[in-house]
Structure formats: structure tokens, C-alpha cells
Amino acid sequence: YRVERAGAPTVVIRDGLDETADGLERDLPGAGDAYRAFVREVRARYARLAPLQRAPFRGPAALLSGGRWRDAPFLLRSLGGVLARSGLPAPVRDALAVWTHVAGQPLAAAPSVMALVPGVIHDVGAWTVAGGMGVLVDALHRAAVAAGVDVRTGQRVERIVVAGQRDVALDVGGRRLPVE
């Protein structure tokens, strides 16, 4: 992607780390090495934190294993705080924070994990689903129906009925529907 701002060099983030860093260095001397160091740091954080995305939530205790405790201060900062400590020049920080502008979110309120995006872009890469995200919804719907799930749309759930630790029914449209 490319971020252009009046009075600042255009910043281009490419899929290749070296291509990105070399372009930054050309336009902002010193930025290439700073960017490489930043990406190394966020890749290491991503590698430590990624297992938390694939495991049941265990709360703060999950940070105690795998050296993740080192990332607690990072997780408590905002994206703005992380970028301020990065050593990157302002145009590069702005380019890495562009998504907060798109979402209308203040940089000081954006979660620090957004800083991991450059590590993902230059490692596993960014991709999209052929046919758009709706293809995933359609596939999940077909699988649920094939498994015998009664899928209802356009109806408001009025209440979730809980017994002990289990959901046992839904009140929908004036009817109580048992759930498994």
C-alpha cells in the first residue's frame, strides 16, 4: 500500500521487507534500518503471541508461558505508544497507523497489536478470500445446515436461557427453542 501526505515523502509498504526498507532508506535516510529492526521486533512478538489466538482464553495467566510475559507492557500500550517508541520517522509511523484513520479511531486508543501488521505482511503475507468474505459465511451456513442446525435469520433473539453453565434455549419471536 502507499500513503501520500502533503509535505512528506510517499511511503510505500510492499510485501517484501527488503524492497520496503530499501525504498524507505532512499527517501528517508536511516528509515530502512529502523524499519527492519521494527519488523524483527514485531515478528518476534507475533511468534510468541500467535498461539493465544488458537487456544481457549485463559486470561492473563496465558502470558506466563512461552516467554509471553515480556509482551505484557506492549499489550498494555496503544498503537500510538508503540509507534512512538519505534525509532521510525513520522511519515513511516503515519503509514503504519493509516488503518486507524480509515476506521476513525484515535491513534492513542488503537490497540498495540495493530503494530504486528508489518510483521505479518512481510512474513505470512496479507491475502483475501476469492469471491469475498461472504464466501466464508456461505460455507459456514452450508456446513451448519448439513450438520442439522436450524438456521434462522431476520429474527431477534429475545433471551438466552441458561441452566447452570449451559445455554439450553433461546426465546425467539415469542417461541422458546431448545438448543444443544
Side-chain angles (χ1 to χ4, degrees), residues 54-152:
R54 298 180 290 276
F57 179 70
R58 295 185 327 199
L63 292 175
L64 298 177
S65 64
R68 290 186 281 271
W69 59 269
R70 294 180 293 204
D71 297 303
F74 166 82
L75 292 170
L76 293 172
R77 285 189 208 112
S78 68
L79 175 61
V82 170
L83 292 176
R85 296 171 179 239
S86 69
L88 294 167
V92 178
R93 291 192 313 263
D94 289 345
L96 297 180
V98 72
W99 310 113
T100 63
H101 304 299
V102 171
Q105 183 177 38
L107 190 57
S112 61
V113 293
M114 288 180 73
L116 302 176
V117 170
V120 173
I121 288 173
H122 299 305
D123 194 2
V124 296
W127 49 273
T128 60
V129 177
M133 295 298 288
V135 172
L136 295 177
V137 174
D138 293 341
L140 288 170
H141 180 261
R142 283 192 305 275
V145 169
V149 174
D150 178 17
V151 178
R152 296 173 185 222

